[in-house]
């Protein structure tokens, strides 16, 4: 069942999303060669908790950290560790959620550590661009497939591939709600978009093939061919006047 939020509920979501967005921005500003991913995770947790919120991911399904931090060919769900030290040229995907007053905000971005290659830079630009193409398609009266198709077209036109095993989702009182929001699909298909729906739109884009592998830790997802991967995400509200991004850092 798809939850449709009223104005009061959207207000709660805006506050949770603002915290998640600021935590992500702070972590991104701290990405640099020599920093370990556990330090970024601590920074994220400390900020979220300082705002009276709780990290959405901490303990979720047994996940052991406050954020997912994924380097290079790791697509999503990378587990922060003091032994994972960021190097010059790495790309670092950070996924952050915050829970406040019973509502979640969810967002992600991929950051450059030092001087990254032109190929990596192009992948980041294409992935972020596809996110905004998907958001633009989140129009009341449309369908989820409109979002999916917009992302897929933008990505594949640039020679990349969208991950198919993992998708975006609704978000609200649960971190993952209906509907699923794939990054591939057909316009005009899927659930109808109506005002009050809140969606985590999150392209996961590989430089190579779309296939992925889950490592033995049962969390870390890597590209099957070892190619680079990037991840960008916003929580978006569908409104009668067009989509509104709730996870914009102030």
């Amino acid at each position: 069942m798809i939850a449709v939020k009223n104005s009061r509920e959207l207000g709660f979501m805006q506050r949770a999303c603002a915290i998640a967005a600021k935590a992500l921005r702070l972590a991104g500003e701290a990405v640099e060669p020599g920093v370990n991913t556990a330090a970024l995770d601590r920074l994220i947790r400390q900020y979220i908790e300082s705002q009276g919120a709780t990290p959405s991911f901490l303990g979720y399904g047994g996940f052991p950290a406050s954020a997912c931090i994924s380097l290079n060919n790791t697509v999503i769900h990378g587990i922060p560790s003091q032994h994972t030290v960021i190097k010059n040229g790495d790309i670092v995907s950070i996924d952050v959620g915050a829970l406040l007053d019973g509502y979640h905000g969810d967002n992600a971005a991929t950051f450059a550590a030092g001087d990254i290659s032109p190929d990596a830079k192009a992948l980041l630009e294409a992935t972020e661009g596809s996110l905004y193409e998907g958001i633009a398609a989140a129009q009341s009266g449309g369908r989820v497939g409109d979002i999916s198709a917009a992302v897929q077209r933008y990505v594949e036109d640039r020679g990349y591939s969208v991950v198919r095993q993992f998708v975006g989702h609704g978000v609200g009182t649960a971190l993952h709600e209906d509907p699923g929001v794939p990054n591939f699909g057909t316009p005009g298909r899927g659930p109808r978009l109506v005002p009050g729906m809140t969606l985590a739109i999150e392209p996961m884009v590989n430089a190579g093939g779309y296939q992925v592998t889950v490592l033995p830790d049962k969390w870390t997802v890597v590209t099957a061919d070892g190619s680079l991967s990037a991840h960008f995400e916003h929580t978006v509200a569908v409104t009668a006047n067009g989509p509104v991004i709730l996870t914009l850092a102030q």
Side-chain angles (χ1 to χ4, degrees):
M1 180 177 176
I2 297 173
V4 175
K5 285 77 173 178
N6 58 34
S7 59
R8 177 175 176 273
E9 292 170 317
L10 288 173
F12 283 125
M13 286 208 63
Q14 284 181 316
R15 290 189 282 278
C17 285
I19 294 169
K22 181 65 177 295
L24 177 62
R25 190 183 78 182
L26 291 172
E29 291 171 349
V31 168
E32 61 182 30
V35 172
N36 68 63
T37 56
L40 297 178
D41 187 69
R42 285 195 300 272
L43 176 67
I44 289 164
R45 181 173 182 175
Q46 287 167 0
Y47 175 75
I48 291 173
E49 292 180 344
S50 77
Q51 302 304 300
T54 302
S56 297
F57 302 163
L58 185 60
Y60 183 82
F63 190 74
S66 297
C68 301
I69 305 180
S70 308
L71 274 59
N72 300 322
N73 69 320
T74 301
V75 183
I76 51 173
H77 302 164
I79 300 172
S81 168
Q82 64 179 350
H83 303 296
T84 303
V85 179
I86 297 168
K87 300 184 296 295
N88 184 61
D90 284 346
I91 59 173
V92 183
S93 298
I94 304 176
D95 193 354
V96 178
L99 172 65
L100 181 70
D101 296 328
Y103 289 83
H104 294 270
D106 190 6
N107 61 173
T110 304
F111 301 93
D115 300 314
I116 64 173
S117 70
D119 286 347
K121 185 173 186 291
L123 174 65
L124 266 59
E125 290 174 348
T127 306
E128 186 171 20
S130 74
L131 169 60
Y132 287 99
E133 286 292 305
I135 291 170
Q139 300 289 337
S140 177
R143 300 276 186 175
V144 167
D146 301 340
I147 301 170
S148 306
V151 171
Q152 182 179 14
R153 181 172 57 249
Y154 190 93
V155 168
E156 293 181 353
D157 281 352
R158 286 155 179 79
Y160 303 113
S161 59
V162 292
V163 171
R164 296 173 180 238
Q165 190 170 334
F166 298 91
V167 302
H169 51 91
V171 59
T173 55
L175 182 57
H176 295 94
E177 296 183 347
D178 291 333
V181 185
N183 295 305
F184 61 96
T186 304
R189 301 284 182 86
R192 180 79 65 184
L193 300 173
V194 301
M197 289 175 65
T198 48
L199 307 173
I201 301 173
E202 52 175 325
M204 292 155 269
V205 178
N206 296 346
Y210 67 79
Q211 296 87 352
V212 299
T213 300
V214 181
L215 297 186
D217 64 19
K218 299 183 180 180
W219 283 108
T220 308
V221 179
V222 300
T223 56
D225 58 12
S227 62
L228 291 178
S229 186
H231 180 205
F232 284 82
E233 174 186 25
H234 274 306
T235 296
V236 176
V238 178
T239 81
N241 298 314
V244 174
I245 300 173
L246 300 179
T247 43
L248 285 178
Q250 300 299 314

